[in-house]
């Protein structure tokens, strides 16, 4: 099987899973990749990982991996039957796609340490909860993430030169940073595969757990890049004292 993605789109729009007998008209503007037909499953559902990475400098290269992230599950049990190829809820893990499914369920946990058992039917999980799932199967979470780190480093190295060039060389190397959303698929042998890299990934929150993780991500990013977080209410009080 193969998967077709528009080269300039988002939120799962225009994605198709095709079999070897599927007829496709010649067209431009699409990327076609070999489909990983044997992904690792959680409770019978396909999933992928949204891994957050912050690059504060490309020369010298400084890459930070956020310790938390999102596990995004499909909402219909996985199968490779020919009849399933058009069932987006089986093969696509995008939140924007699966939120429309009747079986989609928010993760209402307000902490990443919430046990998996308390949110059994959730369609999103934290990495802390993923660790619990892997431990149940005897899989080494830390070793799997060492493989993910390797994928991230090699990906960023592959674009280092063109990005430095687009920034005007090294003269302005300290003037910007980027938060990337790496989408990673884990196969049945626990090998990580890079699906895509998102520039400026969505920071909107669809659940309490989303909000918790993304708030931590923003706080850490601001700290790394030197932003000073201030108390607006205290600032107003100080301003009033100055005016008096």
């Amino acid at each position: 099987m193969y998967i077709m993605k528009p080269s300039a789109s988002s939120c799962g729009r225009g994605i198709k899973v095709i079999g070897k007998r599927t007829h496709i008209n010649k067209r431009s503007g699409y990327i076609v990749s070999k489909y990983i037909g044997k992904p690792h499953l959680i409770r019978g559902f396909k999933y992928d990982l949204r891994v957050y990475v912050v690059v504060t400098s490309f020369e010298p290269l400084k890459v930070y991996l956020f310790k938390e992230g999102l596990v995004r599950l499909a909402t219909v049990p996985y199968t490779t039957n020919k009849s399933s190829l058009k069932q987006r809820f089986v093969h696509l893990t995008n939140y924007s796609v699966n939120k429309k499914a009747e079986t989609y369920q928010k993760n209402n946990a307000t902490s990443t340490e919430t046990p998996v058992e308390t949110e059994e039917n959730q369609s999103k999980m934290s990495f802390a909860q993923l660790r619990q799932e892997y431990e149940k199967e005897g899989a080494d979470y830390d070793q799997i993430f060492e493989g993910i780190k390797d994928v991230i480093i090699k990906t960023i190295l592959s674009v280092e030169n063109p990005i430095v060039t687009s920034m005007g060389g090294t003269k302005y190397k300290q003037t910007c940073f980027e938060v990337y959303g790496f989408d990673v698929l884990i196969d049945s042998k626990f090998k990580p595969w890079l699906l895509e890299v998102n520039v400026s990934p969505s920071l909107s929150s669809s659940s309490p757990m989303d909000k918790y993780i993304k708030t931590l991500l923003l706080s850490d990013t601001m700290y790394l890049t030197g932003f000073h977080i201030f108390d607006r209410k205290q600032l107003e009080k100080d301003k009033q004292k100055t005016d008096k």
Side-chain angles (χ1 to χ4, degrees), residues 46-60:
K46 180 182 176 181
Y47 68 95
D48 75 351
L49 310 180
R50 167 56 61 86
V51 184
Y52 294 106
V53 174
V54 177
V55 179
T56 58
S57 171
F58 272 93
E59 195 170 338

Side-chain angles (χ1 to χ4, degrees), residues 226-237:
F227 278 85
H228 295 284
I229 303 175
F230 61 90
D231 186 331
R232 186 175 295 277
K233 291 182 179 179
Q234 186 62 45
L235 185 67
E236 291 296 330
K237 289 181 182 179

Side-chain angles (χ1 to χ4, degrees), residues 127-238:
F127 284 179
Q129 292 171 324
L130 178 67
R131 180 188 286 272
Q132 296 176 43
E133 288 283 356
Y134 282 174
E135 287 176 350
K136 288 179 183 178
E137 299 185 35
D140 189 331
Y141 176 92
D142 293 322
Q143 184 178 357
I144 293 168
F145 265 77
E146 284 302 314
I148 292 174
K149 290 178 185 178
D150 187 57
V151 169
I152 290 170
I153 291 169
K154 289 177 180 176
T155 302
I156 293 176
L157 285 174
S158 72
V159 298
E160 183 179 9
N161 287 336
I163 288 181
V164 170
T165 301
S166 69
M167 292 168 58
T170 59
K171 182 178 179 181
Y172 305 104
K173 63 183 180 181
Q174 301 295 339
T175 60
C176 57
F177 67 94
E178 183 60 78
V179 178
Y180 295 104
F182 277 68
D183 291 345
V184 177
L185 181 74
I186 307 298
D187 69 15
S188 59
K189 295 182 179 180
F190 293 100
K191 178 181 178 180
W193 295 82
L194 178 65
L195 299 179
E196 63 183 24
V197 183
N198 298 272
V199 178
S200 301
S202 172
L203 295 176
S204 61
S205 301
S206 60
S207 69
M209 189 197 67
D210 256 22
K211 184 176 182 180
Y212 180 82
I213 290 176
K214 292 175 181 178
T215 298
L216 291 178
L217 169 67
L218 284 174
S219 297
D220 279 9
T221 301
M222 289 179 178
Y223 178 81
L224 283 172
T225 53
F227 278 85
H228 295 284
I229 303 175
F230 61 90
D231 186 331
R232 186 175 295 277
K233 291 182 179 179
Q234 186 62 45
L235 185 67
E236 291 296 330
K237 289 181 182 179
D238 294 341

Side-chain angles (χ1 to χ4, degrees), residues 40 71 106 128 160 239:
H40 180 254
V71 183
K106 290 182 180 180
E160 183 179 9
K239 185 179 179 181

